[in-house]
Amino acid sequence: MTLPLMLFFVAVLVPVFFSRVRSVPAWLALQALALGWNGVAQHPGISLHAVAALAEVLIVRAALVPLLLRRAILARAEPNLDLMPSNLFSWATAITLIVLAFEFAAPSMSDQQAITLGVVGATVVVALLLLATNAAPPAQLIALLFLENALALFESLFPEPWPLPVHAALSSIYLLTVGVGAWLIARNEDPAVQAEEPHEPH
């Protein structure tokens, strides 16, 4: 496994297993840096496309999105809970899914593309497991952003990168996702808190 893929994989696994919600924006930024590093390694050379793609990763995914997400999480004023429930069942399920994702690429495990496919698959199954096990709005948005980063990593499997208009569209979707999600996270209150609030008599 190459260093950028290893860095990306660590930035996916550590927050899911060991981190709390408020620390995830930093891990998303680390995922983005790994994406940029992997893109430069996969497509060496200076070109307009390479510079634009790297700028999009660094500005949007590594800086702007983690900042917006962190501000939205802090605005909720909730306890800093685990990203995924810390119990044996969740951990065993996650580990099993990750192993299966890499087994999917096992026939040519020595191939760089197979390793990349394994990392992409592991990221996708972890994000889906997070969607299924944590109903909190911040965790749901974080899982979607993990899926978006997995899609960006999947691009490196192609012999030629996507055209710039496709990059611009994906970047816009990424920003729209975090923008709408952050707005919803910041304004929505915990339903349990709302249920406990006394209603004003008419």
Side-chain angles (χ1 to χ4, degrees), residues 92-184:
T93 303
I95 292 171
T96 302
L97 291 175
I98 291 168
V99 171
L100 289 175
F102 276 96
E103 283 295 321
F104 180 70
S108 54
M109 202 60 181
S110 60
D111 185 13
Q112 176 72 19
Q113 289 189 336
I115 300 174
T116 304
L117 184 60
V119 175
V120 170
T123 304
V124 169
V125 296
V126 164
L128 293 177
L129 180 62
L130 184 57
L131 285 171
T133 57
N134 194 337
Q140 297 279 296
L141 178 57
I142 288 165
L144 291 178
L145 296 180
F146 274 31
L147 289 173
E148 293 275 3
N149 284 342
L151 178 63
L153 181 61
F154 184 73
E155 181 195 359
S156 65
L157 293 171
F158 302 147
E160 294 294 332
W162 285 325
L164 284 178
V166 176
H167 271 294
L170 291 176
S171 180
S172 299
I173 293 172
Y174 194 76
L175 273 174
L176 182 63
T177 300
V178 74
V180 174
W183 177 72
L184 291 173

